[in-house]
């Protein structure tokens, strides 16, 4: 629980991150007589500041010295009871300063700032801000004062409010009626310049984490199908293992909703240390990933509050597909396809669909397992669908390539086990239907997600057929 207090309660601290060397630091502090009430790494930071304060007699200097001793990605905020001064520092974890008319606000994401201010300073790694009557920013390594540009958020406060919806996730799902169309409002020349860089690169890598990672994996299929181009994929946390292949002609295509994903930033550093280029798709203007990229595109989805990403995901996919078309020299074809897709999605997201899905949810909500299968570009979507089920409903869910379920996991299918089959009108259709029949023969309850109904489906969710190539 936060905050953690100093022993004399003269200052309090909150932390976002992980201190990787906290056990080592705690051991040293114990030898100096400090006792600990918790097992948290946060309390270690507090005691470390107390120890350094004995030597410096200056809280800001003690915080600076202590923060530089921490290993890992961290952001901290410290408030001094005596003079009401606030200190905040970051290295790896996001931290931003909102500047209001008569106040300052610290946050790790822009959304909570919107109702107070649109003026924001994004702090970079190894920076400390001091807040009193005004603000000052210093480099934690050199102690030099830094002047930073104030960014203006383009989001509206209404976008970060729930409105009449029951919860933010439902609101954001329904906002796809607009966000898909917004995503493709881009500078055509910038898109074409990025496509040129991708085509000239020697080794292109698509990198993201979690949902953004699944978008990148789907992107490898889109580039193969549309641009006849090979794109490598890795999750951000795994990408540094491939640094041996990176060179100055390499290009990294990164995807991140927040623009602050730590593992993705590390992947960027891996490429930039070899003088390679970085192209990013982000949702937050002025975010760290955007500032550190050679080229950056905003997905224009507006603030995404729900933990499970929806509108940002489809916007990221739309831009990835548009880039693939641009690489193929077919930018206008891609733009037309995505405009049509946005219209079809608007028609699909209606009240009747919501009611049908509520009924389906009631049918399967007591099952402990759920499986999703797909082929081609729908394979990464099967993986992504599993994430959504897991983090929203806490039901065990797994996604598989359509042809892989029979290589072991099919043994888990029991009578009535719900299985979603993502079936497109493409070259994978017949194979997917065969896979679906196979798992139905084991007793699976088949939920078909497809433009066309089929007798193998126990329940059909109709989706538009917009094609891709």
């Amino acid at each position: 629980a936060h905050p953690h207090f100093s022993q004399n309660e003269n200052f309090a601290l909150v932390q976002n991150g992980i201190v990787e060397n906290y056990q080592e630091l705690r051991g040293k502090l114990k030898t100096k007589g400090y006792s600990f009430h918790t097992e948290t790494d946060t309390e270690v930071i507090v005691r470390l500041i107390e120890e350094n304060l004995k030597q410096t007699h200056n809280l800001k200097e003690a915080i600076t010295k202590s923060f530089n001793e921490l290993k890992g990605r961290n952001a901290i905020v410290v408030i001094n009871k005596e003079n009401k001064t606030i200190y905040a520092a970051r290295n790896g974890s996001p931290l931003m300063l909102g500047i209001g008319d008569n106040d300052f606000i610290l946050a790790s994401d822009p959304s909570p700032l919107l109702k107070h201010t649109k003026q924001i300073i994004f702090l970079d790694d190894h920076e400390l801000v001091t807040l009193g009557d005004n603000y000052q920013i210093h480099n934690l390594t050199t102690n030099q004062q830094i002047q930073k540009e104030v960014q203006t958020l383009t989001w509206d406060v209404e976008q970060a409010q729930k409105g009449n919806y029951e919860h933010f996730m439902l609101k954001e799902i329904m906002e796809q009626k607009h966000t898909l169309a917004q995503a493709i409002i881009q500078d055509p020349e910038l898109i074409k310049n990025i496509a040129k860089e991708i085509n000239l690169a020697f080794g292109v890598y698509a990198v993201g984490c979690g949902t953004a990672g699944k978008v990148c994996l789907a992107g490898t299929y889109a580039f193969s199908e549309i641009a006849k181009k090979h794109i490598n994929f890795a999750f951000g946390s795994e990408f540094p293992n491939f640094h041996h292949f990176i060179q100055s002609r390499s290009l990294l295509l990164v995807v991140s909703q927040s623009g602050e994903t730590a593992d993705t930033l590390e992947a960027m550093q891996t490429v930039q240390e070899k003088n390679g280029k970085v192209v990013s798709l982000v949702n937050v203007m002025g975010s760290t990933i955007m500032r550190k990229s050679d080229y950056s595109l905003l997905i224009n989805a507006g603030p995404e509050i729900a933990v499970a990403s929806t509108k940002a995901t489809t916007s990221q996919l739309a831009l990835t597909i548009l880039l693939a078309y641009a690489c193929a020299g077919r930018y206008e074809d891609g733009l037309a396809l995505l405009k049509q897709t946005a219209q079809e999605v608007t028609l699909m997201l209606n009240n009747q669909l919501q009611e049908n899905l509520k009924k389906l949810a009631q049918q399967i909500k007591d099952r402990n397992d759920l499986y999703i299968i797909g082929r081609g570009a729908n394979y990464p979507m099967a993986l992504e669908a599993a994430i959504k089920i897991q983090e929203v409903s806490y039901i065990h869910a797994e996604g598989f390539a359509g042809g892989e379920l029979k290589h072991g996991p099919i043994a888990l299918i029991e009578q009535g086990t719900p299985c979603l089959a993502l079936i497109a009108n493409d070259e994978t259709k017949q194979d997917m239907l065969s896979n679906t029949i196979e798992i139905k023969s084991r007793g699976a309850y088949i939920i078909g997600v497809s433009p066309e109904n089929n007798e193998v489906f126990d329940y059909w969710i109709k989706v538009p057929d917009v094609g891709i190539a």
Side-chain angles (χ1 to χ4, degrees):
H2 292 235
H4 285 253
F5 291 87
S6 60
Q7 290 174 322
N8 60 9
E9 297 194 353
N10 278 347
F11 69 86
L13 178 146
V14 294
Q15 172 212 13
N16 177 25
I18 298 173
V19 180
E20 294 175 357
N21 59 333
Y22 85 99
Q23 289 179 315
E24 174 191 341
L25 292 171
R26 186 169 60 181
K28 290 180 180 178
L29 289 165
K30 280 184 174 180
T31 63
K32 295 184 178 182
Y34 289 93
S35 58
F36 292 84
H37 304 292
T38 72
E39 294 297 316
T40 67
D41 53 351
T42 310
E43 188 181 9
V44 172
I45 306 173
V46 176
R47 302 292 167 252
L48 186 61
I49 293 172
E50 287 181 288
E51 175 61 22
N52 286 324
L53 188 58
K54 292 178 181 177
Q55 303 166 25
T56 63
H57 304 289
N58 179 291
L59 185 56
K60 179 186 170 185
E61 291 179 15
I63 292 168
T64 300
K65 188 174 188 304
S66 301
F67 197 77
N68 285 332
E69 292 182 51
L70 307 181
K71 292 181 181 178
R73 307 180 190 113
N74 290 281
I76 64 169
V77 178
V78 180
I79 185 167
N80 185 352
K81 178 180 175 181
E82 293 178 343
N83 60 12
K84 301 297 190 291
T85 303
I86 294 177
Y87 306 93
R90 73 156 276 180
N91 181 36
S93 288
L95 186 64
M96 54 206 68
L97 172 65
I99 303 173
D101 292 332
N102 298 299
D103 52 16
F104 302 108
I105 309 162
L106 291 159
S108 59
D109 182 87
S111 300
L113 301 177
L114 285 174
K115 63 182 178 181
H116 304 287
T117 181
K118 290 188 177 183
Q119 303 299 111
I120 293 180
I121 290 177
F122 291 86
L123 295 177
D124 286 306
D125 288 346
H126 309 294
E127 290 183 352
L128 178 142
V129 60
T130 305
L131 301 177
D133 293 331
N134 211 322
Y135 70 89
Q136 286 187 336
I137 301 172
H138 288 83
N139 182 286
L140 280 162
T141 306
T142 65
N143 200 35
Q144 289 183 327
Q145 189 168 339
I146 303 167
Q147 300 298 323
K148 295 184 72 74
E149 181 182 358
V150 178
Q151 307 276 345
T152 302
L153 280 180
T154 56
W155 296 346
D156 295 325
V157 64
E158 290 79 12
Q159 292 177 289
Q161 294 178 341
K162 194 167 55 175
N164 295 323
Y165 289 97
E166 189 177 344
H167 48 75
F168 276 108
M169 187 172 176
L170 181 58
K171 173 179 182 277
E172 289 161 12
I173 288 170
M174 301 307 290
E175 282 179 337
Q176 290 171 109
K177 293 178 180 180
H178 314 292
T179 53
L180 269 175
Q182 290 294 318
I184 56 177
I185 299 175
Q186 302 288 339
D187 178 359
E189 291 307 310
L190 177 57
I191 294 282
K192 291 172 184 177
N193 286 341
I194 292 172
K196 183 179 178 181
E197 293 286 358
I198 292 172
N199 284 336
L200 290 174
F202 185 79
V204 180
Y205 303 83
V207 168
C209 297
T211 291
K214 307 306 186 302
V215 171
C216 290
L217 181 55
T220 65
Y221 287 85
F223 272 91
S224 174
E225 176 97 7
I226 299 163
K228 311 299 184 283
K229 188 169 187 64
H230 174 234
I231 303 289
N232 302 279
F233 162 72
F235 288 112
S237 56
E238 290 296 310
F239 182 77
N241 294 307
F242 303 104
H243 72 91
H244 311 282
F245 307 118
I246 305 303
Q247 53 159 282
S248 60
R249 291 174 59 197
S250 300
L251 185 142
L252 189 69
L253 175 63
V254 303
V255 179
S256 169
Q257 191 283 130
S258 67
E260 300 291 345
T261 314
D263 288 330
T264 303
L265 282 163
E266 282 191 13
M268 289 172 61
Q269 184 178 349
T270 300
V271 170
Q272 289 171 331
E273 285 174 352
K274 301 284 186 74
N275 297 315
K277 288 193 169 86
V278 175
V279 174
S280 62
L281 308 183
V282 298
N283 194 33
V284 180
M285 168 72 77
S287 57
T288 305
I289 287 176
M290 183 178 186
R291 295 197 311 275
K292 291 190 174 184
S293 299
D294 296 286
Y295 300 90
S296 191
L297 295 171
L298 283 169
I299 64 171
N300 301 323
E304 191 166 62
I305 310 299
V307 172
S309 177
T310 52
K311 63 176 181 175
T313 306
T314 48
S315 295
Q316 291 162 353
L317 281 167
L319 265 187
T320 302
I321 290 169
L322 188 59
L323 282 174
Y325 271 100
C327 286
R330 299 172 57 201
Y331 169 79
E332 295 299 335
D333 290 344
L335 194 62
L337 170 73
L338 290 164
K339 284 181 179 178
Q340 179 195 348
T341 303
Q343 292 170 0
E344 295 283 358
V345 167
T346 297
L347 293 173
M348 183 184 73
L349 294 175
N350 53 48
N351 291 333
Q352 187 60 54
L353 176 68
Q354 290 186 59
E355 291 306 313
N356 290 343
L357 294 182
K358 283 181 182 178
K359 290 176 183 176
L360 173 61
Q362 286 300 312
Q363 287 180 238
I364 64 174
K365 67 181 178 64
D366 295 325
R367 304 296 304 196
N368 294 321
D369 302 288
L370 187 147
Y371 299 96
I372 309 103
I373 58 172
R375 281 179 178 258
N378 275 328
Y379 164 52
M381 292 302 97
L383 299 178
E384 175 57 19
I387 289 180
K388 294 291 181 280
I389 299 295
Q390 291 164 2
E391 64 185 353
V392 175
S393 66
Y394 305 121
I395 291 173
H396 168 250
E398 289 188 65
F400 294 95
E404 289 299 306
L405 201 61
K406 63 178 177 287
H407 295 297
I410 197 169
L412 301 174
I413 303 294
E414 299 175 348
Q415 191 65 39
T417 300
C419 293
L420 275 77
L422 312 181
I423 303 179
N425 270 341
D426 60 13
E427 65 275 11
T428 69
K429 180 178 179 179
Q430 291 307 316
D431 287 333
M432 271 297 301
L433 285 171
S434 296
N435 300 144
T436 306
I437 291 168
E438 192 171 8
I439 58 176
K440 185 167 185 174
S441 69
R442 299 296 186 100
Y445 179 79
I446 303 298
I447 302 163
V449 182
S450 176
E452 298 174 354
N453 200 355
N454 190 283
E455 61 183 9
V456 71
F457 301 158
D458 296 296
Y459 194 96
W460 177 41
I461 301 172
K462 184 179 181 180
V463 293
D465 180 11
V466 294
I468 187 169

